[in-house]
Amino acid sequence: NASVQRSLNRLSSGFRTNCSYDDAGGMAVSMKLSASIRRTDATATGVSNAISYLETQDGVLKSAGNVLTRMAELATLAQDVTKSTDDLANYDLEYQSLIAQLTALDGETFNAIGLVDGTALTVVTSEDGTQTYDLGGGTGGTPVDLDGVITSTLTGDLLSTANAATEQVLITTAITELGLMRATNGADQSRLTFAGDLLAVNKTNLEAANSRIIDVDVAAESTQLARFNILQQSGTAMLAQANQSSQSILRLLV
């Protein structure tokens, strides 16, 4: 009867071990594997969020690149010797507005975390916490920071061809620095994407290992249940026959 009930519990729950009595060692191992699976899942979520952060950061850097490209165009136009003082003033008006836009981009955030202001972030890439990655190009990497790009262009103007030529050089340098930042961002995304893939594979393998320990083999357990049912029915039949024998002896005695 106990064996029949145990088989029914296993088949109805889907688990081979429903209590420590079923398999004390297996239950202990399963608990550790289950905890590892949960930690792996949480770590993968953190990596995915970091990738979202980097994607948003790249969007800001792309916008900054568009701003710098337009500023470079304005600086080139301002070096045209045929432009009047009023023309240069008009170019400078847009130029100063774009400098203000760069400053605004520097204040962009992701869930209250600075995107391009030099905020240092470390991403955990393993479920046990022993492996981490510093955004900005690896361990000890340099966080993305637009301050240097902005500082090199904040004080300039296009009110003269000489000033425009100076600004052209500064903007060219700023564009080069921004390109390095975007390359670093791409490297970070690539690194974390592979880390996320590894976590997904590890989770699948851990789940398979845990399943082999704790999940019931339906075919085998169904066979066992049928066997225990037959034994139970046979035992009941034998008890019934034994009771009938006792009644026959009593009738003889009477």
Side-chain angles (χ1 to χ4, degrees), residues 18-31:
N18 291 287
C19 62
S20 57
Y21 168 77
D22 292 334
D23 185 356
M27 180 67 75
V29 174
S30 177
M31 287 181 63

Side-chain angles (χ1 to χ4, degrees), residues 21-239:
Y21 168 77
D22 292 334
D23 185 356
M27 180 67 75
V29 174
S30 177
M31 287 181 63
K32 291 188 290 184
L33 290 175
S34 296
S36 294
I37 292 169
R38 295 290 293 274
R39 290 196 302 268
T40 300
D41 200 25
T43 304
T45 299
V47 170
S48 296
N49 290 338
I51 291 175
S52 296
Y53 172 91
L54 289 171
E55 290 172 344
T56 306
Q57 182 186 79
D58 186 55
V60 175
L61 294 176
K62 181 179 180 181
S63 180
N66 293 335
V67 172
L68 287 174
T69 299
R70 176 56 180 167
M71 291 173 69
E73 182 182 4
L74 290 172
T76 301
L77 291 171
Q79 295 177 63
D80 186 347
V81 294
T82 64
K83 294 299 188 295
S84 66
T85 302
D86 290 339
D87 293 332
L88 295 180
N90 289 333
Y91 286 144
D92 186 63
L93 182 64
E94 182 181 353
Y95 191 82
Q96 297 303 322
S97 178
L98 292 177
I99 290 176
Q101 178 59 27
L102 277 180
T103 304
L105 289 174
D106 188 46
E108 290 294 315
T109 62
F110 181 92
N111 194 30
I113 300 173
L115 281 166
V116 290
D117 62 353
T119 300
L121 297 177
T122 299
V123 183
V124 177
T125 57
S126 64
E127 59 90 13
D128 57 2
T130 58
Q131 298 181 28
T132 59
Y133 182 78
D134 297 330
L135 298 187
T139 304
T142 303
V144 171
D145 191 355
L146 273 181
D147 287 342
V149 173
I150 296 172
T151 302
S152 66
T153 56
L154 273 178
T155 58
D157 61 63
L158 304 181
L159 297 178
S160 68
T161 55
N163 289 353
T166 300
E167 287 301 295
Q168 184 74 60
V169 174
L170 293 175
I171 294 171
T172 300
T173 301
I175 290 175
T176 301
E177 293 177 359
L178 192 64
L180 178 59
M181 293 179 193
R182 293 199 69 183
T184 300
N185 177 281
D188 287 344
Q189 288 195 53
S190 177
R191 170 69 172 79
L192 292 182
T193 297
F194 283 113
D197 292 342
L198 179 60
L199 287 169
V201 171
N202 288 344
K203 180 184 177 183
T204 299
N205 291 335
L206 287 170
E207 288 175 338
N210 191 40
S211 176
R212 284 190 289 270
I213 294 172
I214 199 170
D215 288 343
V216 67
D217 184 336
V218 176
E221 197 61 43
S222 296
T223 301
Q224 285 288 80
L225 178 60
R227 174 174 174 269
F228 293 141
N229 274 325
I230 292 172
L231 291 174
Q232 183 188 50
Q233 293 168 10
S234 299
T236 302
M238 293 304 296
L239 286 174

